[in-house]
Amino acid sequence: MTELKSLRMKFVLYHMLTVTAVIGLAVTVGLTVLRQNLSEESSKVLARAAAGEFSEQIFDVTPYVRIPYFALTVDSGGEVIVMDGSYNSFPEENFLETVALLGVSSLSEEGILPDYHLRYLRLSTPGGYVLAFTDTSYEDSVWANLTRNLLLIGAAMWVGLFVMSWFFARWAVRPVEESIQKQKQFVADASHELKTPLTVIHANAELIAGQARGISPDIDKWLGNLDQECREMRHLIEELILLARNERIGSAVHKEKLDFSELVTESVLEFEPVFFQNGREIDCEIRENIAVRGDREQLHSLVKILLDNAVKYSAPGSRTKLTLEATGRRRVCLSVTTPGTPLSRQECKDVFRRFYRAEETRRTKEGCGLGLSIAAGIARSHHARIEADTVSELGNEANVFQVIFRGKISDIPLGE
């Protein structure tokens, strides 16, 4: 069922959004703390190297240093002297002079030389400057490795939780599924059970009307009201039965290749007198030889629902326009444009809900709000899309109902 699929998808979506946010936050915090710790460790080595705290140990026992460093002095004459360091060799001949010049000429006393992968600290002295450098290769390597590992772990957790979420979504909505199934079964059973007594009531009302009509105006009015309510009740029950039948069959409808252009033309011819009697008109632009695969009876009901909706909710004296055209190599669009009270964006979605009727419509129009819901069910069973919209044509507002099918212009006789 579409409702349950939508509910499961929302469950998975919201759960995975939460999981993504938590994993993303955890990875971000972890990488931020790691970068800060690496920077602090490198800064401490810079400060000790600039202060000469490594000098005695370096020349005596050459201790293990995790972050390679070296310190220089630059006197007032520009001469560079190596004070201390854990580098065994430097990459090029003028390397020390180059990095010393960059460190002295920099506006900041502490920073990074990205071209040389060095972090530096500059201290002013009476005789010039003391410059300390640490190699950022270790820092960059640790950062890159941990970033890659954390991202891989986060991705693996995300995929695992997605699979679990998809599995648990079915389990979580199972009570809702059972409730919906029972509700739909109740509606179907109740509709069938009500059909017989309502038929008896209507038949007896007609017999009474045949005997009592004409006795008094009040009795005629009461009999007319009784007949009208019986007809509306029978129409409601028939729509409920049709809705239950469509939901039970679902996508397992008997589909055959049929001439959709001919089917739509037949439906329009049936409704032309109805439009005329209600003071309305209808224009058609039906492309010939459009073929679709579907159930003829259901598709006929779909077109009739759209036309009946146009008769009920169009403005008096208005002209409804029906078009059937091919919008692509394998797409067919059936469109019914009805001048009348415009629908809001939310109402364009709500009109396909069961029993939905706007307040103004509920007071002034007949019906029970099931027609478009049935049309939407028929469209879904044929893998079609049905939608509503409001457009302006020559300064007048009109509501457009579109059904988009998979179909095409048939170049082969349908009987073959």
Side-chain angles (χ1 to χ4, degrees):
M1 290 180 290
T2 305
E3 300 93 338
L4 292 174
K5 289 181 180 179
S6 176
L7 185 59
R8 282 197 294 266
M9 292 301 296
K10 288 182 179 179
F11 179 90
V12 174
L13 175 62
Y14 295 150
H15 183 255
M16 293 314 300
L17 284 175
T18 304
V19 167
T20 303
V22 171
I23 293 178
L25 181 62
V27 171
T28 302
V29 171
L31 292 177
T32 302
V33 171
L34 171 65
R35 173 63 81 179
Q36 185 176 359
N37 290 340
L38 290 172
S39 298
E40 288 178 355
E41 184 177 1
S42 182
S43 297
K44 289 178 181 179
V45 173
L46 279 174
R48 294 180 66 184
E53 296 181 10
F54 289 124
S55 298
E56 184 176 350
Q57 298 178 4
I58 288 297
F59 292 111
D60 288 345
V61 294
T62 312
Y64 170 76
V65 181
R66 183 163 59 174
I67 301 179
Y69 72 95
F70 62 94
L72 308 173
T73 60
V74 181
D75 60 20
S76 58
E79 183 178 357
V80 179
I81 303 173
V82 178
M83 289 175 52
D84 188 13
S86 62
Y87 272 64
N88 295 323
S89 62
F90 296 105
E92 56 189 48
E93 182 178 355
N94 297 324
F95 176 77
L96 294 178
E97 289 77 5
T98 303
V99 297
L101 177 61
L102 292 173
V104 170
S105 60
S106 176
L107 298 176
S108 176
E109 293 184 350
E110 184 175 0
I112 295 178
L113 305 178
D115 294 338
Y116 295 91
H117 301 285
L118 293 175
R119 184 189 298 274
Y120 72 90
L121 174 64
R122 184 182 69 221
L123 299 177
S124 299
T125 63
Y129 298 98
V130 174
L131 293 169
F133 297 88
T134 58
D135 194 338
T136 61
S137 298
Y138 169 77
E139 181 180 339
D140 295 339
S141 176
V142 172
W143 167 263
N145 289 334
L146 285 180
T147 299
R148 182 178 63 253
N149 293 336
L150 283 176
L151 291 177
L152 289 175
I153 293 172
M157 291 177 60
W158 193 93
V159 172
L161 289 172
F162 175 78
V163 174
M164 294 176 61
S165 176
W166 187 266
F167 172 77
F168 284 117
R170 302 179 66 86
W171 173 79
V173 302
R174 190 168 297 164
V176 180
E177 181 178 5
E178 293 176 356
S179 176
I180 293 176
Q181 290 285 9
K182 290 178 181 178
Q183 179 187 11
K184 291 181 177 180
Q185 187 62 42
F186 169 77
V187 171
D189 294 342
S191 301
H192 281 283
E193 293 297 326
L194 289 172
K195 189 174 182 180
T196 298
L198 182 62
T199 302
V200 174
I201 292 173
H202 195 198
N204 282 275
E206 289 180 344
L207 290 175
I208 295 173
Q211 298 294 326
R213 183 174 287 114
I215 295 178
S216 71
D218 288 339
I219 291 178
D220 290 346
K221 183 179 70 173
W222 297 335
L223 291 173
N225 292 340
L226 180 61
D227 181 71
Q228 178 65 26
E229 292 300 322
C230 284
R231 291 180 184 278
E232 290 187 5
M233 197 67 182
R234 183 169 62 185
H235 179 66
L236 170 60
I237 291 174
E238 289 175 351
E239 287 195 334
L240 286 172
I241 293 174
L242 178 60
L243 186 63
R245 174 177 174 271
N246 290 341
E247 288 178 342
R248 185 175 65 253
I249 296 176
S251 59
V253 295
H254 173 67
K255 296 179 181 178
E256 59 179 342
K257 186 177 180 181
L258 53 88
D259 190 336
F260 195 48
S261 301
E262 180 184 354
L263 187 149
V264 173
T265 302
E266 292 176 358
S267 302
V268 172
L269 291 175
E270 292 177 14
F271 266 83
E272 278 186 343
V274 180
F275 276 89
F276 178 77
Q277 291 173 2
N278 286 272
R280 292 159 173 80
E281 298 180 4
I282 181 170
D283 287 339
C284 302
E285 293 182 8
I286 301 175
R287 178 72 180 266
E288 295 183 354
N289 298 325
I290 288 183
V292 300
R293 294 191 62 84
D295 183 277
R296 175 177 289 274
E297 181 180 350
Q298 288 199 8
L299 292 178
H300 187 56
S301 298
L302 171 62
V303 180
K304 287 169 59 179
I305 289 171
L306 295 179
L307 292 175
D308 182 63
N309 187 74
V311 172
K312 289 180 179 178
Y313 302 110
S314 59
S318 62
R319 185 184 296 270
T320 295
K321 183 178 181 180
L322 180 145
T323 60
L324 177 64
E325 58 184 348
T327 58
R329 293 185 60 185
R330 299 194 63 83
R331 285 189 179 275
V332 170
C333 179
L334 171 66
S335 176
V336 178
T337 303
T338 306
T341 304
L343 297 172
S344 66
R345 184 177 298 273
Q346 184 61 41
E347 287 176 329
C348 288
K349 299 178 181 178
D350 292 340
V351 291
F352 299 107
R353 288 168 38 199
R354 298 177 194 171
F355 302 107
Y356 175 82
R357 300 179 73 207
E359 289 296 328
E360 180 181 356
T361 301
R362 190 176 288 116
R363 292 192 302 267
T364 60
K365 301 293 183 180
E366 298 178 358
C368 51
L370 280 177
L372 290 176
S373 177
I374 295 173
I378 295 174
R380 283 195 299 268
S381 67
H382 286 77
H383 305 289
R385 186 175 78 251
I386 186 170
E387 55 192 23
D389 197 4
T390 298
V391 298
S392 296
E393 292 188 349
L394 300 177
N396 297 320
E397 299 288 344
N399 299 315
V400 181
F401 292 87
Q402 286 188 336
V403 188
I404 301 175
F405 295 89
R406 286 181 58 84
K408 62 179 181 178
I409 303 295
S410 178
D411 53 0
I412 302 174
L414 295 173
E416 297 184 4

